[in-house]
């Protein structure tokens, strides 16, 4: 489910993922925009683990509007997540 959320977020925000394995010599960074990988992952400096950065959330508002249902359904989903 987390991967589905991340995929959805990549359609409405600029997403950058930096990851390094315990035995890796370097980390790798990949950037997504409009739900697509902008370029092949590139080696970079980084700590062990994975860091996900989301910037400009809802910059692509037209895509978000297409996904919106009626206001009461959206409100119900918000209450479910927050609750």
């Amino acid at each position: 489910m987390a991967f589905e959320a991340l995929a959805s977020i990549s359609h409405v925000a600029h997403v950058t993922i930096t990851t390094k394995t315990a035995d890796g010599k370097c980390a790798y960074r990949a950037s997504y925009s409009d739900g697509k990988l902008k370029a092949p992952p590139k080696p970079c400096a980084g700590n062990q683990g994975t860091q996900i950065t989301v910037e400009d959330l809802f910059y692509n508002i037209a895509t978000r509007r297409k996904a919106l249902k009626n206001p009461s359904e959206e409100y119900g989903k918000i209450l479910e997540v927050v609750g």
Side-chain angles (χ1 to χ4, degrees):
M1 188 159 128
F3 292 115
E4 292 171 8
L6 187 56
S8 295
I9 291 169
S10 76
H11 284 273
V12 295
H14 295 114
V15 176
T16 302
I17 301 173
T18 304
T19 190
K20 181 179 181 291
T21 60
D23 60 345
K25 292 185 178 184
C26 65
Y28 285 88
R29 179 171 293 142
S31 296
Y32 296 82
S33 184
D34 297 326
K36 297 178 184 165
L37 184 62
K38 290 166 62 172
K42 295 181 180 177
C44 65
N47 296 323
Q48 180 181 338
T50 301
Q51 177 182 1
I52 300 170
T53 305
V54 176
E55 299 176 304
D56 302 322
L57 188 60
F58 301 127
Y59 83 95
N60 194 356
I61 195 72
T63 299
R64 177 66 181 141
R65 283 196 181 126
K66 287 180 189 176
L68 289 174
K69 307 289 184 213
N70 66 54
S72 62
E73 184 177 344
E74 291 297 315
Y75 181 72
K77 288 179 182 179
I78 292 168
L79 286 178
E80 181 181 325
V81 170
V82 173

